[in-house]
Amino acid sequence: MPIDMSTSRPRTPDTTNSAGRRRHDDAPETAALFARLAVLEDGPEREAIRDELVTAWLPMAHRIAGRFRERGESLEDLRQVAALGLVKAVDRFDPERGAFESYAVPTITGEVKRHFRDRMWALRVPRRVQELRNKVRVARRELTQTPGSAEPTLTELAAHTGLTEDEVATGLEALESFSALSLDAELSAGEDGYSLADTLGSSDSSYDVVVDRESAKAGLRRLPERERAILYMRFFEDMTQSRIADRLGISQMHVSRLISRSCARVRAEVLGERAKA
């Protein structure tokens, strides 16, 4: 169901319910609509009432989304996530189990928190580590509320949270995993500054040569002695085919055929072994 995020209802003064509990000004009276929704079968009338309920409670969803602003996600996206949580709350709410607001607030809040947990981490970390991160983040904020307070130590954070120092250290590391540094980011402010990408290594083609050489050893050992000698002279002593032919007393054409045949045999054996693996 498309949701018009610009929809808003006139704000009314704060009220208090019969139990003396304060009601927010974005908590409309919709008990009758929910009672009607609960007895309707799927169809146009039910969809219309459902849409009316979502529209009526959308300002509350926006308010909840606003609690999570300035955490790396746009407010508009947070409102969309909160609206999705609101739709789920409307669909699952049982009017006989109490007030809708009491059910909807944790449902919407949970949806927004799941959005941050599942979508907003630049590096994927286990949920347990994310929870450690949240505890450490809250503890740091509480311990530095007093102006001029020093940054809490690992020991102070552990004492405040009830975690071990190792767990606090894990949480602190996770604080740096919520966002990632661009590979194009400069690591020096000078004119000769280099980017993070410049510090990364690259693949060394020499490793492939080592692998190929080791793979070919067994096949080379199985060649006749003369063919092994020809390959050694050609590829290790860098002799031309003509010089090899003169040394062995055979034609250059014959040397060429022996080299081609030997290389093809070794190559076929290596590829066959790799296929079996």
Side-chain angles (χ1 to χ4, degrees):
M1 178 194 70
I3 299 174
D4 182 3
M5 301 306 295
S6 63
T7 304
S8 62
R9 293 173 61 84
R11 302 180 69 84
T12 58
D14 288 354
T15 59
T16 304
N17 60 20
S18 58
R21 182 179 177 182
R22 180 182 178 277
R23 291 177 56 84
H24 289 94
D25 54 5
D26 53 17
E29 293 291 347
T30 53
L33 287 175
F34 274 112
R36 179 64 179 157
L37 185 72
V39 300
L40 286 174
E41 299 291 338
D42 290 341
E45 184 179 358
R46 190 179 194 283
E47 285 298 316
I49 292 178
R50 178 175 177 266
D51 291 349
E52 184 176 352
L53 285 167
V54 171
T55 301
W57 286 94
L58 195 56
M60 182 194 69
H62 288 178
R63 169 169 56 83
I64 294 173
R67 299 174 183 171
F68 297 87
R69 61 163 55 93
E70 298 179 358
R71 295 194 186 183
E73 183 71 301
S74 71
L75 181 59
E76 187 65 24
D77 288 342
L78 290 175
R79 286 183 169 183
Q80 288 287 355
V81 174
L84 176 60
L86 171 61
V87 172
K88 292 181 178 180
V90 169
D91 288 340
R92 300 171 183 173
F93 177 61
D94 181 356
E96 296 182 358
R97 305 192 69 174
F100 176 70
E101 185 177 9
S102 300
Y103 176 77
V105 170
T107 301
I108 297 170
T109 302
E111 191 71 26
V112 176
K113 288 182 177 180
R114 276 190 294 275
H115 173 76
F116 277 96
R117 187 185 70 219
D118 299 336
R119 304 287 184 85
M120 293 298 295
W121 287 74
L123 299 178
R124 186 63 178 172
V125 298
R127 182 173 181 178
R128 173 183 168 277
V129 176
Q130 295 182 29
E131 291 172 350
L132 290 176
R133 168 195 175 274
N134 291 334
K135 290 181 180 179
V136 171
R137 178 177 58 82
V138 172
R140 287 176 68 182
R141 184 176 66 237
E142 292 175 349
L143 291 173
T144 55
Q145 283 182 344
T146 304
S149 300
E151 183 70 20
T153 65
L154 199 68
T155 302
E156 291 171 340
L157 288 171
H160 189 79
T161 58
L163 301 172
T164 67
E165 292 190 6
D166 286 342
E167 288 173 330
V168 171
T170 300
L172 289 172
E173 290 178 0
L175 284 171
E176 305 301 325
S177 300
F178 193 74
S179 59
L181 184 65
S182 169
L183 290 177
D184 295 326
E186 289 192 0
L187 300 183
S188 173
E191 294 182 359
D192 297 330
Y194 53 91
S195 69
L196 180 61
D198 295 329
T199 67
L200 302 179
S202 58
S203 299
D204 190 340
S205 59
S206 298
Y207 288 119
D208 294 332
V209 175
V210 172
V211 172
D212 292 341
R213 182 177 297 171
E214 291 300 313
S215 300
K217 276 185 177 180
L220 290 171
R221 292 193 187 101
R222 287 191 284 267
L223 290 174
E225 183 177 353
R226 186 176 67 166
E227 293 182 18
R228 289 204 309 271
I230 289 174
L231 292 181
Y232 183 82
M233 288 185 284
R234 178 68 185 92
F235 295 107
F236 289 89
E237 295 186 347
D238 202 25
M239 294 175 60
T240 64
Q241 293 182 8
S242 298
R243 287 184 61 194
I244 296 172
D246 292 340
R247 176 175 292 187
L248 297 179
I250 59 178
S251 67
Q252 184 268 333
M253 185 65 70
H254 191 39
V255 171
S256 177
R257 285 197 298 266
L258 289 174
I259 291 175
S260 297
R261 186 176 66 187
S262 299
C263 289
R265 178 177 172 181
V266 173
R267 184 183 299 109
E269 290 188 11
V270 171
L271 295 176
E273 291 296 325
R274 290 179 179 177
K276 292 177 183 179

